[in-house]
Amino acid sequence: MQLVELLASVMLLLSFAMLAQRRIASLVNLFALQGAVLAASTVAVAASAGLHHLYYSASLTLTLKVLLLPWFLRRLIVRLGLQWDTETLVAIPLQMLAGLGLVIFAFGLAQPISRFGHEITRETLGIAIAMVLLSLLMMIGRRKAVSQVIGFLALENGLVFAATTATQGMPMVVEFGIALDVLVGAVILGVFFFQIREQFDSLELRHLETLREE
């Protein structure tokens, strides 16, 4: 139980680190590290609750979010020549302050709900909601499309963590379906990025807004 709480705290800290990160390559590394911690927390829940199917879920998380998706994103960054995401819509210090407010809101929101759950849920549901909200904030505050995709993938980490701790895992068919959707979506977005780059020589989403206005 204490191990799950520790790993949950580490994932929340990684969400803050991703929110403050400007270098896209480092953002991918933080996402991979968060995926590894998520897999470790799933193993910890499986061991404490005696749920053997969660070991398969941890293996799926490790394969997809620590190996395949980071590898794909790194190749995408190299091909597109992206290194920095310097132009944020909101200054990083303001984003961090907003993130602190969202964490407080998440814990307040989770408190009445977690009373009806088991022991693990009472301690981790607030962290899971905070991870989702911080990922949404990162998506809103970034201009680069790649950064927003990483924010979406980090949001999915928060949802998986919530499902693992609150409901002790989803059926394996559902988990495999979600994993396949995420992987296919990442590949499609990669192709989409290349098309944007060829058309506008940039991946800033303001160019899409210009195209819409025209």
Side-chain angles (χ1 to χ4, degrees), residues 98-212:
L100 288 174
L102 289 176
V103 170
I104 296 173
F105 171 77
F107 277 93
L109 181 64
Q111 186 174 6
I113 302 174
S114 58
R115 294 175 183 174
F116 301 99
H118 49 79
E119 186 178 1
I120 297 178
T121 302
R122 288 194 295 270
E123 303 296 335
T124 59
L125 184 58
I127 293 179
I129 296 175
M131 289 173 58
V132 172
L133 294 179
L134 289 175
S135 300
L136 284 172
L137 180 61
M138 185 173 72
M139 293 173 63
I140 293 172
R142 301 299 176 110
R143 288 184 181 273
K144 298 291 186 182
V146 176
S147 300
Q148 294 191 346
V149 169
I150 297 174
F152 171 76
L153 295 174
L155 183 150
E156 203 263 341
N157 280 347
L159 294 177
V160 171
F161 179 67
T164 302
T165 56
T167 65
Q168 297 185 344
M170 298 174 288
M172 286 304 299
V173 174
V174 177
E175 292 193 21
F176 276 113
I178 293 175
L180 181 61
D181 289 342
V182 170
L183 183 60
V184 172
V187 173
I188 293 174
L189 285 171
V191 176
F192 182 58
F193 292 159
F194 279 111
Q195 294 295 327
I196 297 177
R197 183 61 178 268
E198 291 179 0
Q199 184 70 28
F200 300 107
D201 197 29
S202 175
L203 285 177
E204 292 188 14
L205 296 183
R206 60 186 175 87
H207 293 297
L208 293 181
E209 297 175 357
T210 303
L211 180 63
R212 182 185 62 187

